[in-house]
Amino acid sequence: MLKLGYNEATCKENSNVRRDLELCEKHGYDYIELRLDMLKEYLKYNTLDDLKDFFAKNKIKPFAFNSIENINFCSPKEWEELINLFTFGCKIAREIENPYIIVVPTMTDEICTKDEKEVFEDSVEVLNKLADIAEVYGVKLSFEPIGDRRWCCNSLRQALEIVEAVDRDSVGLTVDCINFYMHDKAADIEFIKRIPKEKLFVFHINDCEDLPLGILDHCHRLMPGLGAIPVAEIANAVKAVGYDGPACLELFRPEYWNMDAEEVIKMGVETTNKFL
């Protein structure tokens, strides 16, 4: 059985870290994925001890920071900025016992045209460099392929090959329902079962509108069970691997950002629980 998790992207425009924590605790979530941008804002007005104290006194626990993006083919300036944010995340993660940081491939019009060999070699190099830093803090990296072809690593197969080549205990995968669906409309759900249990770190649960690939985007995400994705089959494949961590609700839907955050978080419990 999976646990109930929440990713702060779901209400990122109508809530904040403090309110997300309080509402997720109130409505029975087991884990939360904190966003690094929202965490930085929280720490302007609250201390790290405040955050540690909340987790110590409540059921909900931190699970993964979201996210370090555009990790591939960085310029020296881009890499310096990335490492600064990544190291910040690692330091906070160690203090609050947050096990994972999610890392995401690069999306640009130029980079999405690079061939798989180039993407493979760069990704292996970058993940090793990041793991060298993260392991000092006891943090693991969860590499998330983004299904849209605008991202340079956009399939679970490609991401698994990269992670297996890195071959470090601290580097694994995120399986995200919409990213799996956006690549080829989830044509091969059985492939998920080929992921070694020890390499499946994070599972994101969501659904989406029934739109053609190329038009479908992350703003079209829906609550699980309300759209076109075979969410139950994907969740069952994840469970078949042996994963029993949280199914983290991750949505970027403007309609939900215009609602009251508590209403969205309650809806998340109602729609997600049936897939656990």
Side-chain angles (χ1 to χ4, degrees):
M1 183 170 178
L2 306 178
K3 315 297 190 301
L4 181 63
Y6 176 81
N7 181 298
E8 285 195 292
T10 305
C11 290
K12 81 179 190 73
E13 300 296 332
N14 57 346
S15 191
N16 54 52
V17 169
R18 186 169 182 172
R19 182 157 169 76
D20 284 347
L21 288 170
E22 292 170 350
L23 290 175
C24 286
E25 176 68 20
K26 176 181 176 180
H27 292 287
Y29 287 80
D30 301 295
Y31 291 94
I32 189 167
E33 292 188 5
L34 297 168
R35 283 182 60 92
L36 288 169
D37 53 351
M38 296 175 71
L39 184 56
K40 281 196 164 189
E41 187 67 20
Y42 170 88
L43 290 173
K44 290 180 181 178
Y45 309 100
N46 303 270
T47 67
L48 183 55
D49 284 339
D50 291 332
L51 190 59
K52 291 167 71 174
D53 188 56
F54 181 90
F55 286 124
K57 292 180 177 177
N58 291 281
K59 171 192 170 187
I60 195 168
K61 294 295 179 278
F63 186 65
F65 285 166
N66 283 253
S67 56
I68 302 296
E69 300 175 356
N70 296 320
I71 68 170
N72 298 96
F73 307 106
C74 294
S75 68
K77 183 176 184 295
E78 290 168 338
W79 183 252
E80 181 181 4
E81 292 173 353
L82 185 153
I83 291 300
N84 286 340
L85 180 60
F86 182 71
T87 304
F88 162 80
C90 286
K91 289 177 178 177
I92 303 297
R94 177 173 62 182
E95 291 296 317
I96 66 172
E97 299 182 11
N98 175 94
Y100 302 111
I101 294 180
I102 293 174
V103 295
V104 177
T106 293
M107 185 276 283
T108 70
D109 290 339
E110 176 189 0
I111 287 173
C112 73
T113 64
K114 289 186 177 288
D115 64 41
E116 275 208 27
K117 183 174 184 294
E118 291 176 286
V119 174
F120 175 87
E121 291 173 349
D122 183 79
S123 298
V124 170
E125 179 182 0
V126 168
L127 289 172
N128 272 306
K129 288 180 178 178
L130 294 177
D132 286 342
I133 298 170
E135 287 172 4
V136 174
Y137 296 93
V139 177
K140 296 182 177 183
L141 309 181
S142 192
F143 185 49
E144 180 175 6
I146 308 299
D148 191 293
R149 301 306 171 95
R150 294 172 295 170
W151 274 262
C152 65
C153 178
N154 50 59
S155 76
L156 193 57
R157 176 211 36 93
Q158 186 182 11
L160 179 59
E161 289 173 0
I162 290 166
V163 164
E164 289 184 326
V166 173
D167 193 25
R168 297 171 77 141
D169 292 343
S170 64
V171 179
L173 287 172
T174 297
V175 172
D176 180 296
C177 287
I178 193 171
N179 284 320
F180 187 68
Y181 182 81
M182 286 176 78
H183 181 70
D184 58 5
K185 292 209 169 183
D188 186 11
I189 293 176
E190 288 295 307
F191 183 85
I192 295 173
K193 298 177 183 179
R194 294 174 56 183
I195 303 172
K197 178 182 178 181
E198 66 274 11
K199 290 300 181 187
L200 181 46
F201 286 178
V202 177
F203 174 48
H204 287 165
I205 193 166
N206 42 60
D207 212 326
C208 70
E209 297 177 41
D210 188 5
L211 295 169
L213 298 184
I215 295 175
L216 180 65
D217 209 339
H218 296 280
C219 63
H220 299 123
R221 294 185 184 214
L222 292 166
M223 292 286 173
L226 302 185
I229 298 175
V231 178
E233 290 86 344
I234 294 172
N236 287 338
V238 166
K239 286 182 275 190
V241 171
Y243 179 87
D244 59 358
C248 292
L249 182 72
E250 186 189 46
L251 308 167
F252 293 87
R253 188 172 181 83
E255 177 187 347
Y256 297 156
W257 295 340
N258 289 325
M259 295 167 60
D260 178 75
E262 183 163 18
E263 185 179 351
V264 176
I265 286 169
K266 284 173 62 180
M267 190 192 311
V269 177
E270 295 163 0
T271 57
T272 305
N273 268 340
K274 68 184 71 173
F275 299 105
L276 301 184

